[in-house]
Amino acid sequence: MHIYRDIYKHIPIFGSLMPGIIGFYPFGEGRENWNACRFLYYGLNALQHRGQESTGLSSLGKDRLLSTINDDVMVEDFFKEKAGSLKEGHIAIGQTSPIKGDGVIYVKEPVELVCVGDGKPDLHPDKVTAFKIFSEKLSQMIYKCGDTLEATKSIIREVHGGYSFIVLTKNEEMICGRDIHGVKPLEIGAIGFDIGIVASETAALDVMGAEHTGSVNPGEVVIFDPLSIRRERCGEPNRKYCSFEYIYLARLDSYLNGISVSKVRENIGRALARERPIQANVVIGIPETALAFAMAYSEEARIPTRIGFVRTGRYTRSAIRPTQLERLTGVQLKLNPVRYSVDNKDVILIDDSVVRGNTLKSTVLDLKRKGAKRVHVKIGSPALVAPCPYGTEVPPRDELIGGNLSEEEISYVIGADSFSFLPISKLVECIGLKESELCMKCFGVDWEVK
């Protein structure tokens, strides 16, 4: 088993690249009186789980001057320390990112604009650089074409990849769009007839008091201007929604592409219970994502569920911390086992995914130190076996435990009494779409870019 031990010599760099993006646009007489940043404070906080390393915001006021600030802090700290320096504006876009140094991209000319993006256009291996090139190409195309809608459609047809974006021009146009496959989500909401909002997830619309009105469709462009909303598709969509959004990336209270994330996670929990049933005394989920899996598993298997861990300190999503040291520290802080829940019991432990297995091994060991007799591990996703080309940073295959070891071997490595993944066919059933409509490249299901 020396090969397996060698895996743990690496210093993992896993971090999910999944910025949360948002745009705010008011209409009608007196619209210049709105302060867009006050709304984005709530919206960006609702998207904080998609990135905790940097925050960016750009506003446009009646003087038509774009004002932009980026900083490597969380949303709450950004608004305490930086947002006061931003010029007040009635239109604004922003993002929260898991990448230090990421932020709102500014292009001076030929058409002055700012851009935020999720996923990655196929223009450069680095996400930030890829979106910078994308923004410059769009500025050039708008200038050359003279029609913002047609220019943006041309760019989407030309640029492959899996991405969504929001752009604000100096001419008071807010441009939103998704690649032809719709890999990354983008949802639309409204507050009455006065305000339009676009965000990565519907949870951000909810906390801003907006009503969800639908999704930006794959390959679609939506443009807000002072007098209208225009939307057109740039060709036949070829849906390939990111399946990992439903398993882990999105908030439980969000809808993506008309599908409830909560319902998918409940379906996953029930599917895990039906696949190779195990006798045990208690079911526990690893906070926060796997709690929904554990509740549904418990109902389906008729095995009680308990709170298995208590967190210490401010909530952080440890899986998207930039270094392994920070991730392990984060796990230790948030995953202190509750001895009463596991002592002298056979435990079913549920997690959302496994990358290298380091943190899961530590968690299983902690449960046994707290008295668990046996620990059976169930994973609410198929095995991660390949990198993601669209921004979610997954290590090379030779560093992925699911890409190199069988379930029995993984069980041995992490010290569990049994171990199993959710089969790919079951994940497809849980989401409720056809396999051909989902991107599952990270699970080894390849498809050709058209």
Side-chain angles (χ1 to χ4, degrees), residues 386-403:
C388 170
Y390 305 125
T392 303
E393 188 173 321
V394 178
R397 182 186 174 94
D398 63 355
E399 297 181 22
L400 294 171
I401 194 169

Side-chain angles (χ1 to χ4, degrees), residues 49 52 58 89 106:
H49 62 288
Q52 299 170 340
S58 185
Y106 173 72

Side-chain angles (χ1 to χ4, degrees), residues 143-419:
Y143 178 75
K144 181 180 176 182
C145 179
D147 183 304
T148 302
L149 183 60
E150 292 303 320
T152 311
K153 287 164 59 180
S154 296
I155 288 291
I156 291 179
R157 279 193 288 263
E158 177 187 333
V159 178
H160 297 297
Y163 57 91
S164 60
F165 63 90
I166 305 173
V167 167
L168 176 59
T169 74
K170 190 176 181 179
N171 298 324
E172 294 194 68
E173 292 175 310
M174 188 168 82
I175 311 162
C176 317
R178 299 171 75 181
D179 75 278
I180 197 74
H181 304 292
V183 174
K184 305 306 293 183
L186 199 57
E187 303 292 333
I188 306 176
I191 301 176
F193 296 106
D194 296 329
I195 295 171
I197 302 172
V198 179
S200 297
E201 297 185 28
T202 60
L205 305 176
D206 294 340
V207 302
M208 296 171 73
E211 181 180 354
H212 179 220
T213 58
S215 306
V216 177
N217 294 302
E220 186 178 38
V221 178
V222 181
I223 296 183
F224 297 72
D225 64 40
L227 300 175
S228 66
I229 301 175
R230 295 177 291 159
R231 54 192 305 173
E232 285 187 18
R233 289 182 174 175
C234 61
E236 281 299 311
N238 180 22
R239 296 197 298 183
K240 298 289 182 186
Y241 299 145
C242 173
S243 56
F244 205 54
E245 287 277 354
Y246 297 100
I247 296 168
Y248 175 74
L249 301 183
R251 266 175 60 147
L252 186 67
D253 51 347
S254 282
Y255 279 73
L256 302 182
N257 308 303
I259 299 171
S260 164
V261 174
S262 177
K263 181 179 179 181
V264 172
R265 291 182 187 167
E266 181 177 317
N267 290 343
I268 288 174
R270 294 187 184 283
L272 288 173
R274 291 191 291 266
E275 287 285 310
R276 290 180 280 177
I278 289 176
Q279 294 298 316
N281 305 112
V282 66
V283 181
I284 61 175
I286 294 182
E288 299 284 332
T289 312
L291 295 179
F293 301 153
M295 291 175 64
Y297 189 110
S298 169
E299 282 189 3
E300 185 71 21
R302 299 181 183 275
I303 299 173
T305 184
R306 294 286 184 273
I307 296 173
F309 306 92
V310 173
R311 182 194 308 120
T312 301
R314 185 165 74 169
Y315 171 71
T316 58
R317 211 166 187 184
S318 56
I320 62 172
R321 302 298 295 172
T323 70
Q324 174 64 0
L325 176 60
E326 290 175 89
R327 286 191 291 278
L328 284 173
T329 303
V331 169
Q332 292 296 327
L333 283 174
K334 80 176 185 181
L335 294 185
N336 188 39
V338 179
R339 181 184 293 275
Y340 176 77
S341 296
V342 303
D343 189 21
N344 201 35
K345 294 183 175 72
D346 287 351
V347 176
I348 294 174
L349 173 69
I350 303 182
D351 202 356
D352 46 66
S353 57
V354 183
V355 183
R356 295 181 173 87
N358 308 38
T359 54
L360 188 56
K361 180 181 180 181
S362 174
T363 302
V364 171
L365 179 61
D366 282 346
L367 290 177
K368 293 199 170 181
R369 283 174 176 163
K370 295 286 185 175
K373 290 194 297 184
R374 298 177 185 83
V375 178
H376 302 280
V377 177
K378 298 274 191 176
I379 303 299
S381 70
L384 287 167
V385 299
C388 170
Y390 305 125
T392 303
E393 188 173 321
V394 178
R397 182 186 174 94
D398 63 355
E399 297 181 22
L400 294 171
I401 194 169
N404 293 279
L405 307 182
S406 67
E407 292 181 339
E408 184 179 0
E409 289 168 334
I410 294 174
S411 178
Y412 174 83
V413 169
I414 66 174
D417 294 275
S418 70
F419 177 94

Side-chain angles (χ1 to χ4, degrees), residues 426-446:
K426 296 300 177 186
L427 173 61
V428 173
E429 290 179 13
C430 291
I431 296 175
L433 296 173
K434 299 175 183 175
E435 182 175 321
S436 62
E437 296 174 318
L438 293 169
C439 179
M440 297 190 288
K441 283 179 178 278
C442 59
F443 303 131
V445 182
D446 206 359

Side-chain angles (χ1 to χ4, degrees), residues 69-73 76-86:
I69 294 180
N70 298 308
D71 200 5
D72 291 343
V73 294
E76 192 71 36
D77 296 330
F78 180 87
F79 277 87
K80 281 181 183 175
E81 301 167 8
K82 299 291 181 180
S85 304
L86 198 71

Side-chain angles (χ1 to χ4, degrees), residues 92-151:
I93 65 173
Q95 76 168 27
T96 176
S97 172
I99 311 168
K100 287 187 182 296
D102 195 7
V104 180
I105 293 168
Y106 173 72
V107 178
K108 174 66 177 174
E109 54 189 12
V111 174
E112 188 173 354
L113 57 79
V114 288
C115 174
V116 292
D118 182 18
K120 192 170 68 176
D122 189 17
L123 294 169
H124 192 278
D126 174 68
K127 180 261 180 189
V128 178
T129 306
F131 266 109
K132 187 172 187 298
I133 297 171
F134 178 88
S135 305
E136 292 168 347
K137 289 175 77 72
L138 181 59
S139 173
Q140 292 279 354
M141 187 64 78
I142 294 173
Y143 178 75
K144 181 180 176 182
C145 179
D147 183 304
T148 302
L149 183 60
E150 292 303 320

